[in-house]
């Protein structure tokens, strides 16, 4: 890709970017949220036309006007949000649009299945070809997406933040798959915010900042700190500074809480937990041990089976989300920002008042005070460094990381008693992560109670004051974060005893 420029109106998302990828190489794309990584890859895959610039594959200049042309030229893309049909089988999804047919156009599922099995064995992409997509884990669904590109003959595979949604074990499996792919001569372009992953799998790394190409480096010659500094243009601190602080009065009290999951199976099992003012309590655990159901119960999004939840001594069990947010001041940074955090079609200013628009601050009778609503958004955009600095664009036009910043800004602005932060840094760049961690600590310093739920053990350890380990819906241990032993937490997370 040479001299790629992409403008959205008068905003330049890609500014004269060059990218060269060789056969059999893993090339990482690194850059802050909104730097223009996804845009560049969407151009390569034919989803967006570049404003100017040229793309050559094996020396041949191409006009990749749509994904079909990209696929025909051996380019495959695994998007961050999967594009599979839930009610179809694995094989049906893989062959969709490229079906093998018998006479009279009847789908030859048998032959298709054999082909899928042979590709999956070749690259170690274990998946049951007959399983329905809706029954598969996120990691398996991703393997289906990869198989789909290989089935169409991809030689260059683009992965947009493939590990953001994976568990640590699934990440290691993906690393193995990537090694198998490059061993077979495939080229990989991978977008990730995790510097350790770049060190682990990538040969080269291209760094983009605010739409511009900053550098392309041989990964073996640089440290994680070097990469971070190139990316944000300053030194980044990986540790979270926080002074010791005595927690205050009890804010949140959970007693003998039982919550069922959507299938009616016990997900939160007789759980007891207390949270005090001025502390960050981190919940560590492997995905699927009741974290989501716990958060949903606390925020009124899921009915509680038995037990109680109190905020400052007042019972909030099974109240509506609106009451819990506005009357009891429980704020929530949700784990799925696109489903539960914002409305794509609303602009930034509207999203900033989703929960509070009816407060006297923003409305008078039935009339919304638009001046105030925009002013509020403009303040938060400045304070939280949300890019681009515009309150009048639709939320969907913001990059993933900036969508997340927008939600965090809104929830913190509510001045909550309890701030529930679920995977608050998923998909964020290291500079933004530093910022979010500082924000959580600042909230704690101001005397708020923060509940942090994260699959990133490092994050839980660095940010929290106390750590509660959840396993099969129960708290199996509470530890002081300072000087905590990582292997001890790991043992508890796996259901062992510490
Ligand atoms: N359709 C669009 N209209 C207007 N602006 C857009 C559009 N698509 C992207 N942008 C802007 O272009 C910039 C680059 O976005 P892009 O999604 O490429 O970022 P990114 O590097 O992938 O970030 P992240 O790490 O957060 O995913 C962002 O500022 C974004 O708001
Ligand atoms: Mg992106």
């Amino acid at each position: 890709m040479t001299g790629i420029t992409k403008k959205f109106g008068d905003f330049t998302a890609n500014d004269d970017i060059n990218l060269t990828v060789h056969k059999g190489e893993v090339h990482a794309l690194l850059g802050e949220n909104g730097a223009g990584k996804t845009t560049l890859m969407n151009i390569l895959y034919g989803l967006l036309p570049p404003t100017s610039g040229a793309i050559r594959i094996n020396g041949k200049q191409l006009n990749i006007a749509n994904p079909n042309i990209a696929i025909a030229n051996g380019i495959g893309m695994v998007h961050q949000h999967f594009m599979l049909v839930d009610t179809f089988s694995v094989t049906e999804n893989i062959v969709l649009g490229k079906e093998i047919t018998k006479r009279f156009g009847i789908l030859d599922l048998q032959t298709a299945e054999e082909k899928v099995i042979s590709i999956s064995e070749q690259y170690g992409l274990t998946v049951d070809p007959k399983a329905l997509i809706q029954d598969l884990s996120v990691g398996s669904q991703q393997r289906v997406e990869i198989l789909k590109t290989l089935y169409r003959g991809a030689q260059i595979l683009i992965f947009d933040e493939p590990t953001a949604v994976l568990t640590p074990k699934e990440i290691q499996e993906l690393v193995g798959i990537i090694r198998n792919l490059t061993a077979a001569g495939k080229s990989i372009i991978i977008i990730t915010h995790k510097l350790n992953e770049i060190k682990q799998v990538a040969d080269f790394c291209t760094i983009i900042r605010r739409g511009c190409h900053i550098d392309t480096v041989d990964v073996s010659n640089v440290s994680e700190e070097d990469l971070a500094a190139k990316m944000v243009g300053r030194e980044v601190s990986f540790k979270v500074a926080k002074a010791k602080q005595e927690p205050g009065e009890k804010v949140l009290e959970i007693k003998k809480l039982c919550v069922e999951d959507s299938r009616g199976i016990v997900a939160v099992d007789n759980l007891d937990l207390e949270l005090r003012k001025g502390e960050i309590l981190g919940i560590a655990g492997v995905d699927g041990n009741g974290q989501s159901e716990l958060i949903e119960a606390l925020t009124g999004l899921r009915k509680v089976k038995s037990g109680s939840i109190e905020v400052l001594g007042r019972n909030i069990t099974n109240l509506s989300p609106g009451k819990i947010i506005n009357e009891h001041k429980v704020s929530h940074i949700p784990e799925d920002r696109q489903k539960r955090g914002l409305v794509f079609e609303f602009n930034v200013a509207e999203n900033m008042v989703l929960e509070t628009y009816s407060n006297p601050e923003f409305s008078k009778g039935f009339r919304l005070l638009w001046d105030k609503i925009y002013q509020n958004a403009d303040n938060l955009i400045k304070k939280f460094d949300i890019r681009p600095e515009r309150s009048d664009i639709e939320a969907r036009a913001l990059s993933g990381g900036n969508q997340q910043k927008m939600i965090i800004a809104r929830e913190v602005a509510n001045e909550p008693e309890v701030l529930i932060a679920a995977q608050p840094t998923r998909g964020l760049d290291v500079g933004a992560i530093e910022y979010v961690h500082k924000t959580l600590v600042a909230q704690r310093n101001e005397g708020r109670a923060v509940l942090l739920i994260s699959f990133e053990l490092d994050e839980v350890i660095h940010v929290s004051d106390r750590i509660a380990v959840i396993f099969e819906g129960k708290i199996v241990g509470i530890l002081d974060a300072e000087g905590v032993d990582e292997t001890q937490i790991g043992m508890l997370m796996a259901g062992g005893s510490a």
Side-chain angles (χ1 to χ4, degrees):
M1 302 181 82
T2 44
I4 301 288
T5 293
K6 176 69 191 175
K7 290 185 193 264
F8 294 109
D10 53 11
F11 177 77
T12 307
N14 284 172
D15 191 356
D16 195 18
I17 295 183
N18 296 327
L19 176 70
T20 307
V21 179
H22 305 91
K23 193 174 165 67
E25 153 183 319
V26 179
H27 199 114
L29 272 189
L30 178 67
E32 291 180 275
N33 296 124
K37 306 175 295 290
T38 298
T39 302
L40 186 68
M41 290 302 104
N42 283 343
I43 290 171
L44 180 56
Y45 193 57
L47 286 167
L48 283 174
T51 309
S52 59
I55 302 176
R56 287 183 192 81
I57 308 283
N58 294 324
K60 193 174 120 207
Q61 183 157 339
L62 297 173
N63 174 19
I64 307 179
N66 60 55
N68 289 334
I69 299 175
I71 292 166
N73 284 282
I75 301 167
M77 183 159 179
V78 175
H79 299 271
Q80 191 172 352
H81 300 280
F82 303 146
M83 305 196 168
L84 301 169
V85 184
D86 268 357
T87 50
F88 278 17
S89 75
V90 167
T91 303
E92 286 164 340
N93 265 282
I94 290 171
V95 303
L96 193 64
K98 203 177 187 316
E99 294 88 350
I100 304 174
T101 47
K102 293 193 263 204
R103 271 205 305 164
F104 311 117
I106 298 167
L107 182 61
D108 183 357
L109 217 49
Q110 178 76 34
T111 311
E113 231 164 68
E114 280 161 17
K115 197 168 169 202
V116 168
I117 292 172
S118 118
I119 301 172
S120 78
E121 278 172 358
Q122 187 182 352
Y123 298 104
L125 286 152
T126 16
V127 55
D128 171 8
K130 289 195 167 68
L132 294 185
I133 295 299
Q134 60 192 16
D135 297 331
L136 296 182
S137 68
V138 172
S140 301
Q141 291 189 21
Q142 187 177 65
R143 290 201 280 271
V144 177
E145 289 276 17
I146 299 172
L147 276 168
K148 198 167 171 167
T149 66
L150 294 170
Y151 184 87
R152 284 161 175 69
Q155 292 300 324
I156 302 169
L157 283 85
I158 305 165
F159 293 117
D160 192 350
E161 295 195 43
T163 61
V165 290
L166 298 185
T167 62
K169 182 168 163 276
E170 288 172 330
I171 292 174
Q172 287 321 308
E173 287 166 5
L174 179 65
V175 167
I177 292 164
I178 289 179
R179 297 239 155 89
N180 294 340
L181 290 168
T182 51
K186 312 271 183 200
S187 305
I188 312 281
I189 305 175
I190 180 170
I191 300 178
T192 173
H193 289 294
K194 299 184 192 164
L195 303 170
N196 58 345
E197 289 172 2
I198 295 180
K199 285 294 285 180
Q200 196 187 355
V201 298
D203 302 299
F204 292 92
C205 178
T206 288
I207 299 116
I208 300 173
R209 197 193 306 152
R210 296 188 184 231
C212 298
H213 177 266
I214 298 295
D215 204 353
T216 295
V217 295
D218 180 337
V219 171
S220 57
N221 292 334
V222 292
S223 67
E224 289 181 28
E225 284 78 9
D226 296 336
L227 287 171
K230 274 188 194 295
M231 170 181 150
V232 294
R234 64 173 168 87
E235 295 280 328
V236 177
S237 140
F238 291 97
K239 287 256 179 297
V240 191
K242 72 180 184 305
K244 235 187 145 43
Q245 170 171 306
E246 268 311 307
E249 69 173 297
K250 194 163 41 182
V251 182
L252 176 71
E253 183 163 26
I254 304 171
K255 284 191 269 194
K256 296 204 178 328
L257 190 72
C258 292
V259 187
E260 290 178 347
D261 68 12
S262 325
R263 296 161 301 170
I265 296 166
V266 176
V268 176
D269 188 5
N270 244 323
L271 181 140
D272 290 304
L273 201 61
E274 271 182 27
L275 179 61
R276 297 181 170 275
K277 282 197 179 199
E279 76 164 346
I280 301 177
L281 175 64
I283 296 198
V286 177
D287 189 9
N289 275 284
Q291 293 97 321
S292 306
E293 290 80 6
L294 173 63
I295 298 164
E296 286 166 0
L298 291 175
T299 50
L301 292 165
R302 181 180 289 276
K303 283 274 174 274
V304 167
K305 191 87 185 151
S306 61
S308 69
I309 306 165
E310 287 179 6
V311 172
L312 290 170
R314 295 195 290 166
N315 195 343
I316 66 157
T317 320
N318 288 334
L319 291 187
S320 71
K323 281 217 165 83
I324 293 176
I325 294 167
N326 287 311
E327 290 173 23
H328 297 275
K329 293 275 173 201
V330 177
S331 280
H332 175 207
I333 301 164
E335 68 183 313
D336 187 337
R337 59 179 167 242
Q338 312 214 319
K339 235 190 254 165
R340 294 207 159 141
L342 43 81
V343 180
F344 258 10
E345 295 74 18
F346 285 5
N347 71 24
V348 174
E350 290 163 334
N351 270 289
M352 289 293 196
V353 294
L354 275 188
E355 297 147 334
T356 50
Y357 65 89
S358 59
N359 292 356
E361 198 187 343
F362 300 120
S363 62
K364 201 170 181 180
F366 289 115
R367 204 158 48 85
L368 289 172
L369 304 174
W370 285 107
D371 281 2
K372 295 273 166 54
I373 290 173
Y374 278 100
Q375 209 172 56
N376 170 65
D378 290 335
N379 290 340
L380 292 174
I381 286 170
K382 278 229 161 49
K383 197 166 158 210
F384 287 81
D385 190 24
I386 296 165
R387 296 177 209 170
E389 289 186 23
R390 286 189 41 195
S391 50
D392 59 340
I393 56 171
E394 281 187 12
R396 74 162 91 241
L398 259 57
S399 77
N402 280 294
Q403 290 172 4
Q404 182 74 342
K405 281 189 182 178
M406 186 171 88
I407 293 166
I408 292 174
R410 179 185 69 209
E411 297 304 317
V412 167
N414 262 345
E415 308 202 326
E417 293 291 351
V418 180
L419 176 61
I420 300 173
Q423 320 296 347
T425 58
R426 181 185 274 177
L428 295 200
D429 68 61
V430 287
I433 289 175
E434 183 189 33
Y435 188 80
V436 170
H437 288 169
K438 278 187 181 160
T439 306
L440 294 180
V441 169
Q443 291 291 302
R444 158 216 191 243
N445 293 347
E446 283 180 32
R448 307 226 162 91
V450 181
L451 187 66
L452 167 69
I453 300 96
S454 172
F455 302 141
E456 304 273 347
L457 189 50
D458 280 350
E459 173 166 82
V460 174
I461 293 175
H462 286 145
V463 180
S464 312
D465 296 299
R466 287 192 300 144
I467 300 168
V469 183
I470 192 167
F471 178 71
E472 294 186 342
K474 288 189 175 71
I475 301 296
V476 291
I478 296 186
L479 308 142
D480 228 325
E482 200 171 298
V484 80
D485 177 6
E486 214 168 298
T487 33
Q488 190 189 357
I489 300 189
M491 289 283 288
L492 287 167
M493 279 168 58
S497 51

